[in-house]
Amino acid sequence: MNERVPTGAETSLLSLPPTHRQTRWAVAVAVCQVAAFALVAPFARTQLAEINAFIPAFEGVIFVTDLVTSVLLFSQFAIYRLRALLVLACGYLFSALMIIPHALTFPGAFSPTGLLGAGLQTTASLYWFWHLLFPMALLGYGLLRDEKSDPGPAEPSLLALVVGSVALVLTLACGLTLLATAGNNYLPVLFADRVGFTPEARLAAATTMLLSVSAVAVLWLRRRALLDQWLIIVALAVLLEMALGSIFVSGRFSLGFYAGRLFSLLTSTIVLVVLLVETMRFHANVARSKERKIRRLVDANILGICISNLEGAIIEANEAFLRMLQYSREDVVLRRLHLTDLTPAEWREQNERSVAELHSTGAFHPVEKEYFRKDGSRVPVLVGGALFEKSGNEGVIFALDLTELKRAEEALRRDEAWLAQAQRLSHTGTWVLDGTTKRFLYWSDESYRIWGFDPLQGLPSRDDMWGRIHPDDRERLWKEVQEALREQRDFVEEFRILLPDGTVKYLEANTHHEFSPPGVLLEVVCTNVDVTERKRAQDELERLGQLEADLAHINRLSMMGELAASLSHEILHPIATARNNARAGMRFLEMSPPNLTEVREALGCVVRDADRAKDIVGRIRSQIKRAPPRKERFDLNEAINEVIVMVRSAIAKDAISVSTRLMDGLVPVQGDRVQLQQVLVNLILNAVEAMSSVEEGTRALTIRTEQNQPGGILVAVHDSGPGIDPVNFDRVFEPFYTTKTSGVGMGLSICQTIINGHGGRLWMSANEPRGAVFQFTLPVVQENS
């Protein structure tokens, strides 16, 4: 966004509002004009002596003042480029030029009838032209007053404008002079004789007075600044001059005639005096302002500043300079400070070059160096200086304390080193691409290492980088990049790179695209993370997970093998019952008549027993077959009852009593039903095997469930076996640890893996009065899941 820089006109006579004092002066001048007019008007017709030399002498003064005023106004226009100033300058130039033919043609000034072949109406017509166009210039200034000074792209050059304007005014003045001399016979009759006016002269004067009144009105309505105020006084003076010189008198050389010329002098000199006074005041203010700014800079103590001679002796210094070097004002007064003494030996040569540059150019460019402090320590500084006069012996030296900057640079270097170290440890590289030129701007050290480029060869090209992307991933990645650019978004993608030595690496790229408001790509910033090791670890983890699943499956097969005898009994029992019911049904059919009611009941029993056998076989198959884990909601109490049915025969053969305390209304759990039943089978069979070695006392197995906490279910398996030494409580879950003579020690380890995978916890503790308790928790299903 381009902002207009304030022009000089905004701090000039065109914008500075008048002070109260200046306004009072203007009012006083206006009052004096009106009072003088009121005093002279009653006596305006009084004829005085003819002083023929009065006109050339008087108008010579006006010519000089108007010409100087026009030159000053043209110079103001050259600075501020305001057309209002150009119009006003042309008005004063026209006034100065018209004075020349008017004085030359005035009867009696240089000849009885005037020079240039003047006729009776020539001088009066020139006077009328002169006083008609000058108020028009004032009016034009007032109308153009509020225009901006910004030049348009097609506006002519400054010199062309000024030269063209001067030429136009000169042509106009010459043309009107020619009209007034050669065309004397065609002009209105303004003078009846050499002295007396005609009524037409008063009518012509009235037109100029009307223009003057218009100029006063416009300037009054648009007054903003000091110049506007004094131009109102000028327009008023023109008005009063015409009133005295043409309306209230009947001819030349009357009191009104001479008084009107004095008003003309006032018209000519007011703006000149104001321009000169305010210009001098402006330059004085500028000088004082510069001095105040310099003094403020010195006293602000932002920079260390001292005055020294070419020999290096310090003559004056501000507090910042003294504080920086830990010296006092007394050290300066007693001339104890010398730039050569303050400069360490290794900087002396640089110091001599700076002094030589001072001699040749009057200034030396800022350089970094060090100064000694009073305590002998060093301070890094940026030093520059200049002579007050190019051939002089004294100058000013500024010194900026770079201590904080050096600390910041050191901290930045340290941070960059830490960042490089962090990138190396995290295998993260960074690069930056210019979106316009498609050239890389930056590659971090880790990026070079990841991609296998040599930093000594400089930044790689974009084609070099794409050439190292794995051929199988290149097309997919290119499409992803183009889609992200079309949608003006960032993207994260994983891909492989293939190095020249055949090494394959897996990278994860996180890319940020910076676009301009119109949608042009400006910059691309990308971080590349080498995830090769992580990828290998994931593959290894998946392999281990598969091994665990295989081991769990083997464990289930092993359990099913242990339960083979009892399971066969569980299956054969409903089959045998179904057979008996079928034979009974046959007997009921052989009766005469057949007992169909009993047949129907017997067949129903056959169907029920067949379904019971089918359910047992289905549960056995689910435990045996290999299937991926499946999370589902199910009733844990129901799953426990199914397990008890599967292991009932194995429990019964060792005379073990089974009791359950399953909490009513238990909320459902979510998980793999087969895996959790595998855990229960493992825990129950371990308990049965432990209790089979107990000779005395009861053999009791208790299974209970409860909702032990909000969002959690507890399952506990209690046995009355010999228990486990507390020292081994934590070891029982270790792989390959077992107290059995024929076990491999993987059952409880697999159980713990399954429970952990379901977000629960498995542990054991002692049972009272004897035995062990294995417990695990499971999270319940949330209502909104």
Side-chain angles (χ1 to χ4, degrees):
M1 179 177 177
N2 295 324
E3 297 181 355
R4 188 175 69 87
V5 178
T7 65
E10 296 171 359
T11 57
S12 71
L13 296 176
L14 297 174
S15 63
L16 289 176
T19 64
H20 292 300
R21 181 181 179 186
Q22 290 166 335
T23 302
R24 286 196 297 269
W25 271 104
V27 172
V29 171
V31 170
C32 289
Q33 286 188 50
V34 175
F37 175 80
L39 289 174
V40 173
F43 311 100
R45 294 177 180 271
T46 304
Q47 287 296 124
L48 301 177
E50 289 189 24
I51 306 175
N52 291 324
F54 172 76
I55 289 298
F58 177 79
E59 291 189 349
V61 174
I62 297 178
F63 170 76
V64 173
T65 56
D66 280 355
L67 187 61
V68 172
T69 302
S70 70
V71 171
L72 290 175
L73 288 171
F74 274 122
S75 67
Q76 293 288 304
F77 167 72
I79 297 172
Y80 306 130
R81 301 298 293 270
L82 292 171
R83 288 199 299 168
L85 281 175
L86 182 62
V87 170
L88 189 60
C90 290
Y92 272 93
L93 178 61
F94 176 78
S95 177
L97 293 176
M98 291 304 292
I99 288 172
I100 298 173
H102 181 269
L104 292 175
T105 59
F106 195 88
F110 296 97
S111 70
T113 58
L115 301 177
L116 303 179
L120 183 61
Q121 310 304 322
T122 298
T123 305
S125 298
L126 289 171
Y127 186 82
W128 179 47
F129 295 152
W130 170 14
H131 287 78
L132 183 67
L133 268 66
F134 182 73
M136 291 179 65
L138 295 178
L139 183 61
Y141 169 86
L143 294 175
L144 296 173
R145 172 68 181 83
D146 294 330
E147 282 195 1
K148 298 297 182 182
S149 61
D150 295 334
E155 191 167 324
S157 67
L158 177 66
L159 181 61
L161 281 172
V162 173
V163 171
S165 299
V166 171
L168 180 62
V169 173
L170 184 60
T171 302
L172 180 62
C174 292
L176 292 175
T177 301
L178 182 63
L179 176 62
T181 53
N184 176 73
N185 297 330
Y186 304 103
L187 297 173
V189 179
L190 304 178
F191 272 78
D193 52 34
R194 180 173 174 272
V195 175
F197 296 161
T198 65
E200 287 81 358
R202 289 183 171 82
L203 182 61
T207 60
T208 63
M209 291 174 64
L210 181 62
L211 278 173
S212 297
V213 170
S214 301
V216 169
V218 171
L219 289 168
W220 176 265
L221 293 174
R222 298 198 173 194
R223 69 188 188 282
R224 299 279 191 280
L226 182 62
L227 182 60
D228 305 335
Q229 177 177 273
W230 285 107
L231 287 176
I232 294 174
I233 305 300
V234 169
L236 179 61
V238 173
L239 176 65
L240 297 178
E241 176 191 352
M242 294 306 298
L244 279 176
S246 301
I247 303 298
F248 286 88
V249 298
S250 58
R252 294 175 176 144
F253 304 110
S254 62
L255 178 61
F257 173 81
Y258 285 110
R261 297 306 179 272
L262 293 178
F263 278 105
S264 181
L265 179 63
L266 182 65
T267 302
S268 174
T269 56
I270 283 178
V271 172
L272 176 61
V273 172
V274 170
L275 283 174
L276 292 176
V277 170
E278 294 304 321
T279 300
M280 288 188 294
R281 182 177 299 172
F282 174 74
H283 286 295
N285 288 337
V286 169
R288 284 193 296 270
S289 176
K290 288 182 178 179
E291 183 179 350
R292 284 194 299 269
K293 289 177 181 178
I294 293 172
R295 175 50 57 186
R296 191 178 300 118
L297 176 62
V298 173
D299 294 341
N301 292 316
I302 299 172
L303 289 173
I305 299 175
C306 71
I307 298 173
S308 71
N309 55 31
L310 289 176
E311 289 73 35
I314 295 178
I315 303 168
E316 184 58 82
N318 68 347
E319 290 301 323
F321 188 85
L322 297 175
R323 186 170 56 251
M324 180 171 56
L325 300 181
Q326 300 176 348
Y327 284 97
S328 65
R329 178 66 53 190
E330 181 183 0
D331 294 317
V332 177
V333 173
L334 298 178
R335 301 292 177 91
R336 294 172 179 168
L337 299 183
H338 198 284
L339 292 175
T340 305
D341 298 334
L342 295 175
T343 304
E346 63 268 27
W347 296 104
R348 297 282 173 83
E349 185 178 348
Q350 174 64 56
N351 195 57
E352 291 174 0
R353 287 198 297 269
S354 297
V355 172
E357 191 176 352
L358 266 177
H359 275 294
S360 61
T361 65
F364 69 91
H365 290 86
V367 293
E368 287 190 25
K369 59 181 296 184
E370 289 180 320
Y371 277 149
F372 282 126
R373 291 193 180 99
K374 191 172 185 178
D375 61 3
S377 62
R378 298 187 179 200
V379 55
V381 291
L382 178 69
V383 177
L387 294 174
F388 291 123
E389 298 177 0
K390 188 172 181 181
S391 59
N393 188 49
E394 291 185 357
V396 62
I397 303 293
F398 69 81
L400 178 64
D401 189 343
L402 299 180
T403 303
E404 293 302 322
L405 178 61
K406 293 298 182 182
R407 287 175 182 168
E409 288 177 350
E410 180 60 30
L412 180 60
R413 283 193 293 269
R414 187 170 60 250
D415 290 345
E416 288 177 347
W418 286 345
L419 177 61
Q421 180 73 357
Q423 287 197 341
R424 187 181 66 82
L425 294 175
S426 62
H427 306 295
T428 303
T430 307
W431 54 255
V432 181
L433 179 76
D434 187 315
T436 304
T437 64
K438 300 299 185 293
R439 294 178 181 273
F440 286 111
L441 303 175
Y442 169 77
W443 269 57
S444 67
D445 293 341
E446 189 63 13
S447 285
Y448 282 109
R449 190 199 66 78
I450 291 173
W451 289 81
F453 289 113
D454 185 0
L456 299 179
Q457 300 297 321
L459 292 169
S461 69
R462 191 160 167 257
D463 291 339
D464 291 339
M465 187 193 76
W466 277 95
R468 296 206 173 176
I469 296 174
H470 199 285
D472 295 342
D473 294 345
R474 194 175 298 154
E475 183 177 355
R476 172 183 59 83
L477 185 61
W478 177 257
K479 289 180 180 179
E480 178 67 26
V481 170
Q482 298 308 309
E483 183 178 351
L485 291 175
R486 281 194 301 272
E487 297 175 0
Q488 295 189 15
R489 61 172 174 83
D490 301 340
F491 77 95
V492 178
E493 191 65 33
E494 187 174 295
F495 58 93
R496 292 168 295 172
I497 62 174
L498 180 62
L499 301 187
D501 61 1
T503 302
V504 176
K505 293 184 179 180
Y506 289 84
L507 302 188
E508 183 181 271
N510 191 330
T511 306
H512 169 70
H513 296 116
E514 185 73 28
F515 293 91
S516 67
V520 177
L521 181 64
L522 300 177
E523 194 173 78
V524 182
V525 180
C526 180
T527 57
N528 302 280
V529 184
D530 186 350
V531 295
T532 305
E533 295 300 324
R534 187 176 72 189
K535 189 73 175 176
R536 290 172 180 167
Q538 288 175 348
D539 293 344
E540 185 66 19
L541 187 62
E542 291 176 1
R543 190 179 67 83
L544 290 176
Q546 185 60 45
L547 288 176
E548 287 182 349
D550 293 343
L551 199 57
H553 182 247
I554 293 172
N555 179 257
R556 286 200 300 275
L557 292 177
S558 175
M559 289 189 303
M560 290 301 102
E562 294 180 25
L563 294 174
S566 60
L567 289 174
S568 63
H569 173 75
E570 291 297 328
I571 296 171
L572 291 174
H573 181 267
I575 292 175
T577 305
R579 179 176 180 278
N580 292 335
N581 286 322
R583 292 181 65 183
M586 292 174 62
R587 287 195 299 273
F588 289 131
L589 283 174
E590 292 173 353
M591 291 180 179
S592 183
N595 190 344
L596 297 179
T597 300
E598 291 295 334
V599 170
R600 187 178 297 107
E601 182 178 349
L603 291 177
C605 291
V606 170
V607 172
R608 184 176 62 252
D609 291 334
D611 288 341
R612 189 154 61 94
K614 175 187 175 185
D615 290 341
I616 294 173
V617 172
R619 284 194 289 271
I620 295 172
R621 288 187 61 197
S622 67
Q623 292 291 327
I624 292 175
K625 72 178 181 179
R626 182 191 298 272
R630 184 177 63 180
K631 294 292 182 74
E632 60 182 350
R633 294 174 58 162
F634 64 91
D635 186 333
L636 187 59
N637 288 342
E638 181 182 285
I640 291 173
N641 287 326
E642 291 176 357
V643 169
I644 292 174
V645 170
M646 279 195 295
V647 300
R648 184 167 49 196
S649 298
I651 294 172
K653 73 176 183 178
D654 288 315
I656 296 173
S657 64
V658 180
S659 63
T660 59
R661 298 202 303 271
L662 306 180
M663 181 178 179
D664 293 334
L666 202 65
V667 295
V669 296
Q670 183 162 345
D672 188 286
R673 187 186 190 105
V674 171
Q675 287 186 347
L676 293 177
Q677 285 182 329
Q678 178 182 353
V679 172
L680 285 166
V681 171
N682 253 308
L683 297 180
I684 291 172
L685 292 182
N686 285 347
V688 169
E689 186 173 352
M691 287 186 290
S692 64
S693 62
V694 175
E695 300 293 339
E696 298 180 356
T698 59
R699 299 177 179 179
L701 177 69
T702 303
I703 302 172
R704 64 184 177 88
T705 60
E706 63 181 51
Q707 196 160 341
N708 66 331
Q709 57 183 352
I713 291 177
L714 174 71
V715 179
V717 178
H718 300 253
D719 68 64
S720 58
I724 298 176
D725 189 340
V727 176
N728 297 322
F729 276 3
D730 293 332
R731 295 193 62 197
V732 296
F733 297 105
E734 293 179 3
F736 307 111
Y737 176 80
T738 181
T739 57
K740 302 177 184 178
T741 57
S742 60
V744 295
M746 289 300 296
L748 288 177
S749 175
I750 292 172
C751 290
Q752 189 175 57
T753 299
I754 292 173
I755 297 300
N756 290 343
H758 283 75
R761 186 171 72 92
L762 172 65
W763 74 98
M764 72 156 295
S765 58
N767 191 26
E768 296 297 336
R770 75 169 191 264
V773 181
F774 283 85
Q775 303 175 77
F776 63 86
T777 58
L778 292 172
V780 299
V781 179
Q782 300 297 325
E783 292 183 0
N784 59 352
S785 61

